[in-house]
Amino acid sequence: MSALFTAVNPGFLLLLTGLIGGLLPVKPLRQGLMILAPVLGIIMLTQAPRDLDLATGQALGLELVLYRVDSLNFLFGLAFLVAAFLHAIYALHNDDRMHDGAAMFYAGTAVSASFAGDLVSLFIFWELTAVASVFLVLRARTRAAYNAGMRYLVVQVLSGVLFLDGIAYVYKKTGSLDLSAFGSLDAPGAKYILLAVAIKAAFPLLHNWVQDAYPKATVVGGVVLSAFTTKLAVLMLARLYPGLDMLVWIGVLMAVFPIFFAILEDDLRRVLAYGLNSQIGFMVCAVGLGDLSTRLGQMALNAAAAHAFVHIIFSSLLFMSIGAVLYRTGTAKASKLGGLYRRMPFTALFGLVGAAAIAAVPMFSGYVAMSQITSTVAQAGPVMAWLGLVFASAGVWVHSGLKVPYTAFFGRDRGHRVAEAPFNMLLAMGIAAAISILAGLPVASGFGYGWLYSLLPFPDHAAGFRPYSAGQVIAQLQLLVAGIAAFMLLRRFGLYPGERAGTVLDTDWIYRRLAYNLAVWAHAVSEKAGPAILAAFGAVSARAYDRIEAAFSPRGVLSRGPLTGGMAIWTAALLGFALLLAFITVN
Amino acid sequence: MSDDSAPERDAAGRFVKPHTPDPDTPGNDSTHPAAQAIFGWVSHPRTPALLLAAVIALTLILVMMDGLVAGPGEVGFDTLTGFHALVGFATILAVAFAAWPLGALLRRSPDYYGDTDTVPGDTAEHVEGGQ
């Protein structure tokens, strides 16, 4: 029994629970299963031995490794399971078996993919994440959600197709399906798979599916979506491309550019989606420095893993708090919100904890992870990259740390007379807030940041890092407090750009407006001018055919007279000369 | 039929201003009971000015502490006194000022893409049948 317990990928348990949940109409039983499965999954994971193929299988003659735990995927899998548990609690007020099932199945695919030990198994679960998660967008039951869901599916499937291309290339050239680092982009299939992972990680210019789909998902769906796909992509980057130089600059760009969009955005779930993008940038940058042959590289990978773990929790917390506001007021628009601390004080309090964590305020989980990243980049990366990340830290503070809680909870009262969030939502937020505080406490051993660091891929190096040195704490506090001062002064003098309703254009404009309008224009042209164009094309074709036939057919001009005979003789002579030349040259 | 618009009078029969609950005062009927305990200080009229003064004072104290607790620094120039405070302050100014032209350039009407129905079907109005 014990062997069976440790030989089953916990993700499979979640997948099974998701399938059963989708069919089970009895709400208490279904929701009980939804809470129990992740708890059981966490127990199974903690019992699993490391660095062994715990479950294998065969398909189409290929050896598949379905369950393998190591120090890297353990932390991601654990965070996914904790997130699945929190999301199940957060959804308790809602009686929607399809939604419950899809959310748990999606979590199951992410957990299963984390523990996959070969490229084909990973691909299967990679694709299933797309299929399962789209239901969380579609269940919002709006036309906007339907359209966004379809775009989301296209992008995700494109990532899957590229991944499959890469796997085929790897297998053809090497005969191996091992899930191991490529070493360089010149390795077979490395570029295809990097592009596939780049889409899922929402690299710059490939990012907009996050801001398009997440804010249009259901209240609970937005929370669930924020946890899994992008972090799974970070795990795959850490697994397949550790130490790839270009990731450093991609990560910095990714951390910086969303700040400018987030400050303009009116929809707070879109602001959080941009914040998520920026945070993934920090992780990608750290992975880019994660050369496993060096101590600093190992520390960089530690930092990426730590940040992914804490981000899964505090990002969920932020989406939960704005989700609760959306649930009660029916809007997540900053221009329509304000003053909710009077009606939803606990939601506001938990939202503030999430904001403090994402902004890396000392004593919160984001700080102990982000300080590791900036410290490693300072030691091993270019100075400009470090400066970019410091700039991004302050930027995250302004949009996710200050703008989101201020506009939702403390800005001008917009007259929403609503009740506090349902108890289950508060409970989920409370647990997430507790983790976000406890994992950041300055306790080096036992619970506190020491607990988090002990779970990292290279715990010995992590234990040597001291995030709470006086210099580091003062530096971070300066950044944050001076940032608040700037924010308050700008607001006081009316220089801060106010919350205005509107659509902020991003790269999705290319396919949602430009390409769409071009297609509409082409259709209109073909409708109006189609018959005339076809007639003109037919006339030109007929005339060309007549001319060609008149020249080249057996009855044509070129078949008659001495010119044809002369041409044939000259062609034969030139061919003979070429053959002679080739013969002489070769010999 | 009751007369809802009848003017209010006090015990002496004098007209008085009708009572309207102030939404800005924590503790009134539409306010959560815990709001006063947790965030009661927020609605005090002097809070914004005091908060701004406290934040500026704290920034100055932290800059002074920077001089006292001189760490080794991470990249060299970050050992300059008040470097991080300057970066934090300047970044937020830069982002806010950049937002004005960017907003003029990139912001369109809310229904630019026709996405006007963005309220999902699992809000309280749908799940609980309204407040």
Side-chain angles (χ1 to χ4, degrees):
Chain A
M1 185 66 191
S2 171
L4 182 69
F5 199 66
T6 55
V8 176
N9 186 329
F12 296 175
L13 180 68
L14 270 56
L15 292 174
L16 185 65
T17 309
L19 287 175
I20 294 170
L23 301 170
L24 202 59
V26 187
K27 184 183 171 189
L29 189 59
R30 181 179 71 242
Q31 295 189 328
L33 279 177
M34 297 292 158
I35 292 174
L36 194 63
V39 174
L40 202 57
I42 292 170
I43 297 168
M44 288 164 72
L45 177 59
T46 53
Q47 302 298 312
R50 305 275 179 97
D51 302 315
L52 290 174
D53 293 345
L54 298 169
T56 55
Q58 270 203 333
L60 305 170
L62 301 171
E63 288 286 338
L64 306 181
V65 180
L66 299 169
Y67 188 27
R68 184 181 174 88
V69 183
D70 60 29
S71 57
L72 181 63
N73 62 13
F74 175 84
L75 197 61
F76 282 80
L78 181 64
F80 289 154
L81 287 163
V82 172
F85 169 70
L86 294 174
H87 300 163
I89 295 174
Y90 189 76
L92 284 177
H93 63 281
N94 205 2
D95 187 7
D96 185 344
R97 66 182 175 182
M98 174 67 100
H99 194 285
D100 287 347
M104 189 52 66
F105 195 85
Y106 174 41
T109 58
V111 175
S112 303
S114 306
F115 297 123
D118 67 281
L119 287 168
V120 171
S121 306
L122 172 63
F123 167 75
I124 293 166
F125 298 120
W126 186 269
E127 279 297 85
L128 285 176
T129 55
V131 176
S133 57
V134 77
F135 286 100
L136 305 176
V137 183
L138 299 178
R139 290 300 278 181
R141 297 191 185 96
T142 62
R143 182 159 184 75
Y146 174 79
N147 291 336
M150 290 300 112
R151 289 191 293 271
Y152 172 85
L153 198 58
V154 167
V155 172
Q156 299 298 311
V157 170
L158 175 66
S159 165
V161 169
L162 287 165
F163 203 108
L164 190 60
D165 281 352
I167 293 173
Y169 199 13
V170 171
Y171 190 63
K172 185 168 183 249
K173 291 283 181 184
T174 66
S176 165
L177 290 168
D178 284 353
L179 193 61
S180 52
F182 279 107
S184 97
L185 277 185
D186 297 327
K191 291 191 185 90
Y192 282 104
I193 293 179
L194 179 62
L195 194 54
V197 179
I199 291 173
K200 292 256 188 190
F203 276 18
L205 305 180
L206 304 172
H207 65 281
N208 211 236
W209 60 269
V210 175
Q211 289 78 25
D212 186 19
Y214 287 15
K216 298 190 185 85
T218 60
V219 170
V220 179
V223 178
V224 178
L225 286 165
S226 73
F228 299 111
T229 301
T230 47
K231 261 64 74 180
L232 179 61
V234 170
L235 171 61
M236 288 313 134
L237 282 174
R239 176 77 77 206
L240 300 172
Y241 304 95
L244 184 66
D245 290 341
M246 65 189 287
L247 293 181
V248 174
W249 291 110
I250 290 173
V252 172
L253 184 62
M254 212 170 157
V256 170
F257 91 89
I259 296 164
F260 295 96
F261 285 93
I263 206 82
L264 293 176
E265 261 303 332
D266 186 40
D267 186 330
L268 293 181
R269 291 207 294 177
R270 264 177 87 95
V271 175
L272 293 179
Y274 278 115
L276 185 149
N277 226 191
S278 181
Q279 295 289 301
I280 300 291
F282 282 85
M283 299 171 213
V284 170
C285 183
V287 170
L289 292 170
D291 178 1
L292 295 175
S293 62
T294 66
R295 183 183 150 277
L296 275 175
Q298 293 173 355
M299 284 189 69
L301 217 58
N302 268 347
H307 200 60
F309 180 88
V310 297
H311 181 258
I312 288 167
I313 308 298
F314 67 62
S315 173
S316 286
L317 175 55
L318 282 165
F319 271 94
M320 281 189 224
S321 68
I322 294 304
V325 168
L326 172 62
Y327 177 76
R328 281 301 187 207
T329 64
T331 184
K333 309 280 186 195
S335 57
K336 294 180 182 169
L337 291 172
L340 284 172
Y341 76 90
R342 298 186 188 94
R343 332 286 163 208
M344 307 177 75
F346 292 112
T347 303
L349 193 64
F350 295 137
L352 283 173
V353 172
I358 197 172
V361 175
M363 308 291 279
F364 292 88
S365 60
Y367 172 72
V368 297
M370 199 165 327
S371 60
Q372 258 195 327
I373 293 180
T374 49
S375 177
T376 312
V377 173
Q379 291 177 66
V383 175
M384 286 306 290
W386 176 84
L387 209 53
L389 291 190
V390 174
F391 176 85
S393 299
V396 169
W397 181 222
V398 71
H399 63 70
S400 293
L402 297 173
K403 173 179 170 168
V404 171
Y406 179 81
T407 51
F409 301 114
F410 301 103
R412 187 158 64 88
D413 195 320
R414 308 279 181 175
H416 293 288
R417 301 294 176 257
V418 293
E420 176 57 282
F423 177 73
N424 64 294
M425 283 186 167
L426 292 176
L427 181 63
M429 285 189 268
I431 298 170
I435 296 171
S436 296
I437 294 170
L438 290 173
L441 290 179
V443 183
S445 58
F447 217 83
Y449 79 83
W451 169 78
L452 176 64
Y453 284 10
S454 70
L455 299 176
L456 296 180
F458 303 97
D460 294 343
H461 297 330
F465 180 74
R466 294 274 174 271
Y468 283 101
S469 69
Q472 270 184 307
V473 172
I474 289 172
Q476 185 66 8
L477 285 175
Q478 274 188 22
L479 190 85
L480 300 174
V481 178
I484 301 178
F487 182 77
M488 292 177 83
L489 286 169
L490 285 167
R491 281 218 166 254
R492 173 157 280 226
F493 293 110
L495 296 170
Y496 185 84
E499 280 61 55
R500 285 176 55 196
T503 301
V504 177
L505 304 185
D506 198 344
T507 51
D508 59 342
W509 178 85
I510 294 166
Y511 52 85
R512 293 181 71 184
R513 188 45 72 106
L514 182 66
Y516 178 76
N517 282 351
L518 278 174
V520 169
W521 175 80
H523 179 71
V525 167
S526 71
E527 286 273 298
K528 286 184 179 169
I533 291 172
L534 278 177
F537 181 75
V540 170
S541 303
R543 190 174 295 177
Y545 180 79
D546 289 345
R547 292 267 174 93
I548 291 166
E549 196 194 23
F552 296 107
S553 73
R555 298 173 304 282
V557 177
L558 294 176
S559 305
R560 295 197 297 268
L563 183 62
T564 310
M567 286 292 285
I569 290 166
W570 274 110
T571 306
L574 282 170
L575 188 60
F577 179 70
L579 279 170
L580 188 65
L581 199 64
F583 181 76
I584 293 166
T585 314
V586 170
N587 290 292
Chain B
M1 192 176 157
S2 65
D3 183 8
D4 289 340
S5 61
E8 290 183 22
R9 293 169 184 259
D10 64 9
R14 287 175 299 206
F15 288 107
V16 291
K17 245 181 143 177
H19 172 72
T20 49
D22 175 13
D24 290 341
T25 308
N28 70 28
D29 290 342
S30 60
T31 302
H32 193 284
Q36 175 66 32
I38 304 172
F39 295 114
W41 57 276
V42 172
S43 58
H44 194 281
R46 293 180 63 191
T47 296
L50 284 175
L51 207 56
L52 179 60
V55 164
I56 291 171
L58 189 57
T59 307
L60 295 174
I61 292 168
L62 286 165
V63 170
M64 283 190 284
M65 283 175 75
D66 209 5
L68 297 174
V69 189
E74 291 189 314
V75 292
F77 54 80
D78 60 328
T79 52
L80 292 170
T81 303
F83 172 80
H84 285 88
L86 186 68
V87 171
F89 195 85
T91 297
I92 290 183
L93 288 189
V95 170
F97 288 136
W100 291 99
L102 277 175
L105 186 71
L106 298 175
R107 191 180 279 116
R108 299 288 185 276
S109 69
D111 62 344
Y112 182 73
Y113 291 125
D115 289 346
T116 48
D117 56 340
T118 53
V119 180
D122 63 339
T123 58
E125 192 182 352
H126 300 90
V127 174
E128 300 171 8
Q131 290 293 297

